[in-house]
RNA sequence: GGUGGGGUUCCCGAGCGGUCAAAGGGAACAGACUGUAAAUCUGUCGGCGACGCCUUCGGAGGUUCGAAUCCUCCCCCCACCA
C-alpha cells in the first residue's frame, strides 16, 4: 500500500512539511500518532474544517492513530493567526458546549472505538497551569525576538488594532499542547492549516529543546475556490456540518454548484473515491462534468449526513432540476444511484399554509416573503416585477397575483421558485 | 493622562445646512446567455398593497422653517506624545 504521505500528497492535502525525508521514514514505520487541533469557536464545524478532518480519516485508514484535540483551553485565549481583528473571547461554558458539538461531528469521520482514535481537550492540562512554573519551564525556551517575526503575528503587528498579550501567548500554549501529547501519547506529528505553520514549528522546537527528539509538522494549503473565495463562504454565512444549521439539501446544493475548474480537485480532497478514477474527471466537460458534480455532492453529503439524507438530497435535486442518467463508467466506486428512479424529494424546503387562507387567496409577493424566498415584501415585489418568480414553473407577472387552491397540484403542493435554483414548497394544511 | 483624527445604509467608502434613502466600488438578488459552472451585458439593492408615507448616517439633547451635515454632553476606535 502506498504511504499515507503519498496519498495525501496526490490528493492535494500537503502544503509544507518539516524534515521531509525523516518524516516519510518515520511514517513508514507504521502505527504512528498524529494530531490536529480544532477551535471550539462554534458548536459546529463547517466546510473549512473538512480538510483537516479528511486528513485524519486518511491517517486512520492507513493504520495510524489520529488525535482530534479540541481547544477547550486555547479557545479561552484565541488564536490571532491570520486574523486582522482580535476575536471576542468566549466564556468557558460556551466553549464546553461547542467542544461537545464538535466531538459528535468528528465521530462521523473517525472510528473512536478501542482507542483507534482519540478525542482530547486541552483544557485538561492548560487550565491547570501555574504561571510562574510555566514561565520558568516552558517560557524560557521561547525567544520573543523570534516570535514577533512569525508570519502568524505579522498581520496583527502591522494592523492598527495591534496584538494583545493574551493572544501573543497562543503560540506558546499550542507548542505546549504538542509537548503534552508527545509525553502522554507519543504523538510526534502535528498537522494543521497553513496559518498554523508558526505554531506547529514552535511545538516541534519545544520538543527538541525539552527532549532532544524530533517531532514533525505538516500543513495543508488554504483551499480556495477557483473564483478566489474561501471554501464554504456563502452569502448566508458558513456552510456547516450540523444539519440544524445547514440542511443536508443546502449542503448538497453547495457542492453541486462547484465551479467547473474545482470538481476534480474537490473530489480528491473531500471524498474517498480512488485517485485513478478522479483523474479521469479532469478531462470532462458539459453534461458529464455536471454528473461528476452530482457525485461530488452525493459523496460529501453521504460522509457528513449519512446515506439516507444524501439520497434524499439527490432525489430532491433530480425532481426540481431534472436529471440525467449518471454513466456507469464515471467514478464507478461511487455508490450514487445511477438510474432515474423514484420521485422522493423530501428535502426541498417546505412550509404549511392553512387551506382556509388559500381559499381566499394569498397575494404572491406575501407568499414569497413568508416562504423565505425574499427578505421583505418589497424585495418580493421587485423579484416578481423583474420576472424572477415562478409558481409551479410558470413565471408570474403581477406582484399581487392571488395564489389560491387552484394552484395546488395533484399532491396538494405549490412549488415556488426564485430565480433558477431556489425552491420552496407550500403544502396545504387542513 | 495630553494632543490630533475618526465612528455613514451587508462591507469598503464619499457626502459636511435644503436638490439625501444618501455618490462610487464590492458583495448579494433577478433578467439575458447557459450545463444548478465561469465570464459578460442589463436591472435591482431600508421598510410599507407604495407616483405617496414611515424609519435610518455611534448615543442623548439643542440651534434652525429645514440637520448625516452646526452646537453641547456622553460612549467607542485610531495615531502621536507621556
Amino acid at each position: 500500500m502506498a504511504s499515507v504521505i503519498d496519498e495525501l500528497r496526490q490528493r492535494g492535502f500537503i502544503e509544507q512539511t518539516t524534515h521531509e525525508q525523516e518524516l516519510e521514514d518515520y511514517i513508514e514505520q507504521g502505527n504512528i500518532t498524529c494530531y490536529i487541533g480544532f477551535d471550539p469557536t462554534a458548536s459546529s464545524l463547517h466546510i473549512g474544517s473538512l480538510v483537516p478532518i479528511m486528513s485524519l480519516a486518511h491517517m486512520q485508514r492507513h493504520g495510524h492513530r489520529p488525535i482530534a484535540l479540541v481547544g477547550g483551553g486555547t479557545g479561552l485565549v484565541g488564536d490571532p493567526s491570520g486574523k486582522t481583528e482580535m476575536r471576542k473571547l468566549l466564556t468557558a461554558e460556551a466553549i464546553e458546549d461547542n467542544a461537545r458539538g464538535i466531538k459528535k461531528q468528528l465521530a462521523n469521520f473517525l472510528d473512536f472505538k478501542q482507542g483507534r482514535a482519540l478525542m482530547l481537550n486541552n483544557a485538561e492540562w492548560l487550565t491547570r497551569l501555574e504561571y510562574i512554573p510555566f514561565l520558568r519551564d516552558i517560557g524560557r525556551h521561547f525567544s520573543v525576538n523570534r516570535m514577533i517575526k512569525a508570519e502568524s503575528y505579522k498581520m496583527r503587528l502591522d494592523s492598527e488594532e495591534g496584538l494583545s498579550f493574551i493572544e501573543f501567548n497562543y503560540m506558546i500554549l499550542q507548542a505546549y499542547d504538542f509537548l503534552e501529547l508527545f509525553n502522554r501519547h507519543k504523538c510526534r506529528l502535528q498537522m494543521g492549516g497553513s496559518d498554523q505553520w508558526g505554531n506547529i514549528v514552535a511545538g516541534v522546537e519545544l520538543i527538541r529543546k525539552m527532549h532532544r527528539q524530533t517531532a514533525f509538522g505538516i500543513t495543508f494549503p488554504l483551499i480556495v475556490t477557483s473564483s478566489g473565495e474561501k471554501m464554504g463562504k456563502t452569502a448566508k454565512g458558513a456552510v456547516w456540518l450540523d444539519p440544524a444549521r445547514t440542511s443536508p439539501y443546502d449542503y448538497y446544493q453547495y457542492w453541486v454548484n462547484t465551479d467547473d475548474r474545482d470538481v476534480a480537485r474537490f473530489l480528491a480532497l473531500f471524498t474517498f473515491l480512488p485517485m485513478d478514477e478522479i483523474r479521469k474527471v479532469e478531462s470532462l466537460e458539459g453534461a458529464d462534468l455536471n454528473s461528476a458534480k452530482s457525485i461530488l455532492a452525493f459523496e460529501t453529503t453521504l460522509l457528513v449526513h449519512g446515506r439516507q439524507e444524501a439520497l434524499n438530497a439527490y432525489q430532491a435535486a433530480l425532481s426540481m432540476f431534472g436529471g440525467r442518467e449518471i454513466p456507469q463508467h464515471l467514478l464507478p466506486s461511487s455508490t450514487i444511484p445511477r438510474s432515474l428512479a423514484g420521485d422522493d424529494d423530501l428535502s426541498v424546503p417546505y412550509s404549511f399554509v392553512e387551506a382556509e387562507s388559500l381559499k381566499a387567496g394569498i397575494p404572491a409577493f406575501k407568499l414569497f416573503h413568508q416562504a423565505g424566498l425574499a427578505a421583505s415584501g418589497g424585495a418580493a415585489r421587485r423579484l416578481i416585477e423583474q420576472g424572477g418568480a415562478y409558481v409551479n414553473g410558470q413565471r408570474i407577472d403581477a406582484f399581487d397575483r392571488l395564489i389560491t387552491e387552484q394552484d395546488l397540484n395533484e399532491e396538494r403542493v405549490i412549488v415556488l421558485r426564485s430565480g433558477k435554483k431556489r425552491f420552496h414548497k407550500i403544502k396545504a394544511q387542513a
Side-chain angles (χ1 to χ4, degrees), chain A residues 231-300:
Chain A
M231 275 304 283
K233 284 276 185 182
T234 69
K236 291 169 208 83
V239 179
W240 300 95
L241 305 191
D242 178 356
R245 293 193 190 217
T246 300
S247 73
Y249 176 76
D250 286 336
Y251 190 82
Y252 179 94
Q253 286 296 320
Y254 175 80
W255 291 101
V256 180
N257 284 305
T258 296
D259 190 299
D260 278 12
R261 295 165 288 178
D262 295 327
V263 178
R265 188 160 60 102
F266 287 181
L267 281 164
L269 285 167
F270 302 115
T271 75
F272 291 110
L273 298 175
M275 276 311 288
D276 51 346
E277 294 179 18
I278 292 173
R279 284 198 194 92
K280 293 182 184 142
V281 169
E282 283 163 18
S283 54
L284 297 180
E285 42 187 44
D288 282 345
L289 186 53
N290 264 24
S291 291
K293 290 182 190 179
S294 298
I295 294 178
L296 171 65
F298 179 81
E299 291 290 326
T300 51

Side-chain angles (χ1 to χ4, degrees), chain A residues 3-6 8-9 14 16-20 22-28 30-37 52 55-56 58-60 62 64-69 174-175 177-183 185-192 197 199-201 203-204 207 213-220:
Chain A
S3 127
V4 66
I5 287 280
D6 286 336
L8 290 175
R9 199 172 278 136
I14 295 181
Q16 205 173 0
T17 70
T18 63
H19 329 76
E20 196 163 342
E22 281 177 84
L23 173 60
E24 282 189 33
D25 295 345
Y26 170 61
I27 289 180
E28 300 247 317
N31 197 21
I32 65 156
T33 299
C34 61
Y35 100 93
I36 296 180
S55 75
L56 287 183
H58 281 294
M59 281 288 176
Q60 189 169 54
H62 282 263
H64 304 295
R65 181 176 63 160
I67 297 176
L69 181 69
Q174 188 167 329
D177 279 346
F178 198 175
L179 177 69
E180 197 68 27
L181 292 174
F182 176 88
N183 290 336
H185 300 287
K186 302 211 172 10
C187 174
R188 287 176 64 188
L189 170 61
Q190 181 183 179
M191 305 189 286
W197 179 252
N199 296 339
I200 292 172
V201 169
V204 167
I207 289 170
Q213 295 222 41
T214 309
F216 306 95
I218 295 178
T219 56
F220 312 122

Side-chain angles (χ1 to χ4, degrees), chain A residues 274-386:
Chain A
M275 276 311 288
D276 51 346
E277 294 179 18
I278 292 173
R279 284 198 194 92
K280 293 182 184 142
V281 169
E282 283 163 18
S283 54
L284 297 180
E285 42 187 44
D288 282 345
L289 186 53
N290 264 24
S291 291
K293 290 182 190 179
S294 298
I295 294 178
L296 171 65
F298 179 81
E299 291 290 326
T300 51
T301 308
L302 177 72
L303 285 172
V304 178
H305 298 296
R307 183 161 188 88
Q308 193 53 52
E309 292 295 349
L311 285 171
N312 287 350
Y314 174 60
Q315 294 291 2
L318 280 184
S319 81
M320 291 295 107
F321 292 99
R324 49 191 99 61
E325 302 241 340
I326 294 180
Q328 297 294 336
H329 61 269
L330 180 65
L331 297 160
S333 295
S334 173
T335 56
I336 194 169
R338 303 210 175 229
S339 59
L340 303 176
D343 54 356
D344 188 358
D345 54 0
L346 297 169
S347 53
V348 173
Y350 63 89
S351 56
F352 291 100
V353 153
E354 285 176 27
E356 273 307 303
S357 52
L358 273 182
K359 268 204 180 89
I362 304 171
F365 76 105
K366 289 198 170 164
L367 197 58
F368 271 83
H369 174 36
Q370 276 169 30
L373 292 175
S376 67
R381 285 172 68 133
R382 273 178 244 122
L383 178 71
I384 295 168
E385 275 155 13
Q386 291 178 121

Side-chain angles (χ1 to χ4, degrees), chain A residues 40 72 76 90-100:
Chain A
L76 294 165
L90 296 167
T91 64
E93 300 81 66
I95 287 170
E96 267 305 303
D97 273 3
N98 293 345
R100 264 194 297 279

